[in-house]
Amino acid sequence: MVSLLTINSAVAAPLQGLQSSGKSELSWFLISVYEAQLFTTSGQFVYGQYPQALEIEYYRNITKENLIKATKEQWEEQSIKHPDLNEWLVELEQVFPDVKPEDKLVFSIDKIGNNQFFLNDKPIGKIANKDFSQLFLDIWVSEKTTYPDLRLELIGE
């Protein structure tokens, strides 16, 4: 019974017990796309130390196809190689929604590396692979990110 309460609590509040390590806004050709905020247990970012969560509040309409395309492009830019990458992109078709202004998408990684996606605080799916957890978060926090200024603000530097 206690584990069910813990699970329901995590589902109801994906950022509960976490503190912001930093936030930043992504703009593309002077167009604001979203604001991202990274959360950790202590508010201090340590690569690969969980739990962590990334919250993205969108300013624009973006289709799930474009979210998946952007994910793939970021992995390619970072030269991410994993045998399951293509499978994960297919799985994301079942997880990612179309987003609209003011939607908040949260990607949460629990203390043992399992992930969960939330849209406006409601669970929408997960990719059942711990490697995915870090590689997806790496789009924003890896030293290889294509958005180095955004990364520095997210990790509090």
Side-chain angles (χ1 to χ4, degrees), residues 64 67-68 71 92-98 105 117 124 136:
K64 72 178 180 177
L67 292 174
I68 292 166
T71 299
L92 285 173
E93 292 176 14
Q94 304 305 312
V95 175
F96 277 167
D98 294 336
L105 185 68
F117 287 93
I124 57 171
F136 186 77

Side-chain angles (χ1 to χ4, degrees), residues 98-118:
D98 294 336
V99 294
K100 61 188 181 313
E102 299 184 18
D103 275 347
K104 288 185 180 181
L105 185 68
V106 173
F107 177 67
S108 165
I109 304 173
D110 70 16
K111 64 183 175 182
I112 60 171
N114 296 316
N115 65 73
Q116 178 77 49
F117 287 93
F118 298 83

Side-chain angles (χ1 to χ4, degrees), residues 49-149:
Q49 184 178 21
Y50 311 123
Q52 290 185 22
L54 179 75
E55 178 186 69
I56 298 175
E57 181 176 354
Y58 290 91
Y59 299 147
R60 313 190 63 69
N61 292 315
I62 304 174
T63 65
K64 72 178 180 177
E65 290 81 13
N66 283 334
L67 292 174
I68 292 166
K69 180 181 174 189
T71 299
K72 181 179 180 184
E73 288 171 355
Q74 290 301 310
W75 281 338
E76 288 171 353
E77 290 287 326
Q78 291 186 25
S79 300
I80 301 296
K81 306 281 187 239
H82 192 284
D84 297 332
L85 279 182
N86 288 327
E87 179 182 323
W88 295 340
L89 292 167
V90 170
E91 288 181 53
L92 285 173
E93 292 176 14
Q94 304 305 312
V95 175
F96 277 167
D98 294 336
V99 294
K100 61 188 181 313
E102 299 184 18
D103 275 347
K104 288 185 180 181
L105 185 68
V106 173
F107 177 67
S108 165
I109 304 173
D110 70 16
K111 64 183 175 182
I112 60 171
N114 296 316
N115 65 73
Q116 178 77 49
F117 287 93
F118 298 83
L119 180 65
N120 302 323
D121 291 329
K122 294 183 179 124
I124 57 171
K126 59 188 166 191
I127 305 296
N129 185 303
K130 291 178 185 179
D131 290 345
F132 173 86
S133 297
Q134 187 61 58
L135 292 175
F136 186 77
L137 191 60
D138 278 350
I139 291 170
W140 294 270
V141 303
S142 168
E143 291 182 357
K144 297 181 191 175
T145 185
T146 60
Y147 306 113
D149 293 338

